Structures are given as C-alpha cells and as structure tokens.
C-alpha cells in the first residue's frame, strides 16, 4: 500500500490547489482520537479539527507529509501509520489523504511548526464524545468527520 502513496509532485501547487493530509492520532487501548482546536487567522475564529496540512514539499510523498504534520502540529510521533482513505479532486475540491497514527507518543524534541495558525485546545475523545461534538456542531459534517467515524468503527471491530 505504501507504494501507492509514493506520488511525487512535479511543481509546488498554490495553497488552494495542493493536496491535503489529515491525521487521526488514535489510542487503540482506550479507543480515543485526538482532536485539536485551532485559531485560523483567515477566518478569525477557532475550529475543532484534525491534525492536517498541505502537501507542499515536492520531494516528499504523502505519508512523509502525514508523519511531519503529526510532529509539527501536536509534537507526536507514531511507529504505525495506517492509510485510511484518499479522495480524488472532484468538483473543485482538493485531493485529501486520511491517515491513522496508532498509539502516538509525545516527542522530546519536536520540529518547529511553520504554520501561522495556532492550537488553542486539544483533547482525547471517544466515539460518544466525538458524536456529541458533531451533534453540538462543534465539528462540521464533512469528509474528514466521516473518515474519523470510520476510524472509530475500525477499532470498535478490532476490539470486539
């Protein structure tokens, strides 16, 4: 499967066109996912969201981008990354690549996060708390939240 993720970019796309990686840090023992609240400057407000970032380095594949985003955004690393899903560019949407980082640990010396936006809160949530965040509109229904629900479902089946 990693071979299929070895796509290289020929030129650096602009910010609105580049592919995006989404990473779900997931504790397989507690069946909890790590979500972050980030202040997004361009919207001048906070959003609950997932670790994510644009594929902007032409010499790196999407798996490497996912690993780097986990380190840069939340100072975590994982020995096990699972590629959950990738979407194509459809109707103007950017291609998205979804990964689960199993049982991440906090890094001692994380890299500097180059993003202008910053994390204002973060928490581990189980499937019930995640569903409440959706019901309370703290998280938006979109492809990212649907893939997150698939991650919960994957581990629910594994631990049943």
């Amino acid at each position: 499967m990693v071979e299929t993720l070895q796509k290289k970019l020929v030129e650096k796309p602009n910010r609105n066109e580049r592919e995006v990686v989404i990473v779900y840090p997931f504790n397989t023992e507690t069946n909890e996912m790590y979500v972050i609240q980030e202040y997004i400057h361009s919207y001048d407000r906070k959003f609950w969201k997932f670790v994510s970032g644009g594929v902007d380095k032409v010499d790196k594949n999407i798996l490497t981008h996912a690993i780097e985003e986990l380190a840069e955004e939340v100072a975590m690393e994982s020995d096990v990354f699972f590629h959950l899903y990738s979407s194509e560019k459809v109707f103007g949407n950017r291609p998205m690549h979804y990964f689960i980082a199993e049982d991440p640990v906090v890094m001692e010396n994380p890299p500097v996060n180059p993003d202008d936006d910053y994390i204002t809160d973060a928490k581990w949530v189980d499937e019930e708390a995640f569903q409440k965040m959706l019901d309370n509109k703290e998280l938006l229904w979109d492809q990212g939240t649907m893939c997150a629900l698939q991650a919960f479902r994957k581990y629910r089946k594994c631990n049943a």
Side-chain angles (χ1 to χ4, degrees):
M1 176 158 295
V2 173
E3 293 82 23
T4 63
L5 302 176
Q6 299 296 324
K7 186 187 330 182
K8 299 281 186 174
L9 296 173
V10 176
E11 60 185 57
K12 187 174 180 177
N14 75 41
R15 186 174 182 91
N16 294 327
E17 293 178 352
R18 66 183 179 202
E19 298 177 59
V20 174
V21 293
I22 308 284
V23 182
Y24 306 112
F26 202 93
N27 183 321
T28 60
E29 288 185 29
T30 63
N31 287 340
E32 292 177 313
M33 183 179 294
Y34 196 69
V35 294
I36 59 176
Q37 184 181 63
E38 192 171 57
Y39 175 79
I40 309 291
H41 284 86
S42 58
Y43 291 98
D44 192 27
R45 62 176 279 212
K46 299 174 188 175
F47 293 91
W48 281 102
K49 59 185 276 303
F50 309 103
V51 173
S52 62
V55 176
D56 57 357
K57 298 170 187 96
V58 296
D59 60 334
K60 296 182 181 174
N61 63 44
I62 59 171
L63 176 59
T64 301
H65 276 86
I67 292 167
E68 289 180 356
E69 285 301 326
L70 184 66
E72 290 174 0
E73 281 202 13
V74 293
M76 291 182 182
E77 60 188 344
S78 172
D79 291 333
V80 180
F81 269 75
F82 175 78
H83 178 243
L84 184 64
Y85 178 72
S86 285
S87 67
E88 305 263 342
K89 181 175 180 166
V90 179
F91 305 119
N93 292 329
R94 298 185 281 176
M96 308 287 278
H97 307 281
Y98 300 89
F99 293 88
I100 298 170
E102 289 186 352
D103 304 316
V105 294
V106 175
M107 301 173 76
E108 288 186 30
N109 296 306
V112 175
N113 187 351
D115 296 341
D116 292 334
D117 303 321
Y118 54 91
I119 296 172
T120 58
D121 199 0
K123 60 185 174 181
W124 289 97
V125 294
D126 61 15
E127 189 172 3
E128 182 179 337
F130 186 86
Q131 186 63 54
K132 284 181 183 174
M133 291 179 78
L134 283 168
D135 293 344
N136 294 334
K137 297 182 175 53
E138 295 174 78
L139 285 167
L140 302 175
W141 275 106
D142 61 11
Q143 187 170 275
T145 52
M146 288 187 283
C147 285
L149 288 170
Q150 283 297 107
F152 280 114
R153 185 177 181 184
K154 170 185 170 36
Y155 292 99
R156 188 178 348 124
K157 287 181 178 179
C158 289
N159 295 328

